[in-house]
Amino acid sequence: MLDQRWVFHEDATPQNVAEGVIRRVLAYSKDLMCVENTFVEGAVGDLHHHPHTQITYIVSGVFEFEIDGEKRIVKAGDTMLKLDGVVHGCVCLKAGVLLDIFNPMREDFV
């Protein structure tokens, strides 16, 4: 789907990436990537880091996020900036969807 102008949700392959977490890689170029993550209540996004700047938009649900050792509760409409290399992760408190934007693209996702 690299540089694909139109990416329809039904065409984005769901990938089970952790217990209770489904990832769909949406539109992307080499410089930018949009990824949807669907979480069931209680699912965990393990603490990790990567060499990409990431913005996460909470589409729905409630999550406890940890970014660089600081924990906060976030809900629909909230956003978070994670600069490259910062350690981050989350626990889903109420089932929901996260939309992640990466710069550059996550080559490990395709």
Side-chain angles (χ1 to χ4, degrees):
M1 287 193 213
L2 178 67
D3 294 333
Q4 187 173 332
R5 181 166 289 157
W6 305 96
V7 177
F8 297 99
H9 193 265
E10 68 254 15
D11 296 331
T13 304
Q15 303 167 332
N16 292 311
V17 295
E19 188 173 335
V21 183
I22 296 173
R23 174 192 302 147
R24 284 182 174 83
V25 175
L26 305 174
Y28 67 95
S29 69
K30 289 185 179 192
D31 298 321
L32 196 62
M33 176 179 265
C34 184
V35 176
E36 177 192 82
N37 294 288
T38 303
F39 282 72
V40 300
E41 188 172 316
V44 174
D46 289 330
L47 287 173
H48 65 285
H49 62 88
H50 44 74
H52 309 83
T53 295
Q54 176 181 350
I55 292 176
T56 298
Y57 173 75
I58 311 301
V59 177
S60 62
V62 179
F63 296 82
E64 179 184 67
F65 259 86
E66 181 175 337
I67 302 172
D68 202 20
E70 181 179 1
K71 291 183 180 181
R72 297 265 181 115
I73 305 296
V74 294
K75 61 185 183 333
D78 295 336
T79 56
M80 294 152 292
L81 173 65
K82 293 162 255 170
L83 297 175
D84 52 329
V86 72
V87 175
H88 58 281
C90 68
V91 176
C92 181
L93 304 177
K94 180 180 176 188
V97 176
L98 306 177
L99 190 66
D100 288 326
I101 307 298
F102 296 98
N103 174 302
M105 70 170 275
R106 294 284 305 263
E107 291 184 12
D108 55 323
F109 283 6
V110 294

